[in-house]
Amino acid sequence: MIQLKTMLNCIDNSGAAIVECVNVLRMKRAASIGDRIIVVVQKQRSFGPESGPGGSVSTSAANKVRRGDIRHAIVVRTAKKIQRKDGSVVKFDDNACVLINKAGEPVGTRLNGIVGAELRDKKWSKILSLAPMHL
């Protein structure tokens, strides 16, 4: 159940670590796994000491997004319990998302962590193919 002001972990390598939901698209109130939301990047991911000031790799080259950027995202994990058609109940430890562009392509090229299998029903097969495991 993702709604306004919810903080989510960003599990791709786009450069964002923590994002905040500012709008849920095509929904009345709350978003679940596979829904599209609009987020603001709150915290950037650091890529080690070599990406800091004076390092060989600049942070702008390593990060595709910056703090304060407004992006679209897909919810891939929620802490709220979800009842599936077969009767099983799934609950994750945290809320997580994957950043996408306006066309629906993921911004990052890798995903860290498990994603929900409900993405298959919502036709997000590109995110499922990047994920190491879906539950």
Side-chain angles (χ1 to χ4, degrees):
M1 300 275 286
I2 308 300
Q3 58 189 0
L4 183 69
K5 301 295 250 177
T6 302
M7 303 295 271
L8 301 98
N9 295 327
C10 187
I11 63 165
D12 56 8
N13 65 344
S14 61
I18 297 175
V19 297
E20 176 185 342
C21 176
V22 293
N23 193 7
V24 179
L25 298 177
R26 298 191 184 114
M27 299 291 288
K28 285 189 181 283
R29 184 179 175 102
S32 186
I33 295 178
D35 292 335
R36 194 171 183 154
I37 59 174
I38 298 178
V39 297
V40 175
V41 178
Q42 294 292 331
K43 191 173 177 186
Q44 277 185 301
R45 190 177 307 279
S46 61
F47 287 105
E50 70 275 355
S51 65
S56 61
V57 180
S58 67
T59 56
S60 61
N63 293 346
K64 298 178 182 82
V65 296
R66 299 179 60 87
R67 186 179 183 279
D69 281 0
I70 298 172
R71 294 293 179 122
H72 286 236
I74 301 298
V75 179
V76 295
R77 291 196 304 251
T78 58
K80 175 76 175 160
K81 293 179 183 175
I82 297 174
Q83 180 96 28
R84 291 194 173 155
K85 297 245 190 233
D86 61 356
S88 61
V89 178
V90 176
K91 176 182 182 279
F92 294 99
D93 290 337
D94 64 342
N95 298 318
C97 68
V98 173
L99 297 184
I100 59 171
N101 58 17
K102 298 268 178 145
E105 302 286 325
V107 174
T109 55
R110 284 186 171 172
L111 296 186
N112 306 321
I114 304 172
V115 300
E118 285 80 8
L119 294 172
R120 188 181 296 118
D121 304 332
K122 305 260 179 110
K123 308 287 192 273
W124 292 109
S125 57
K126 177 71 174 174
I127 295 173
L128 280 171
S129 66
L130 290 174
M133 190 169 130
H134 47 274
L135 186 66

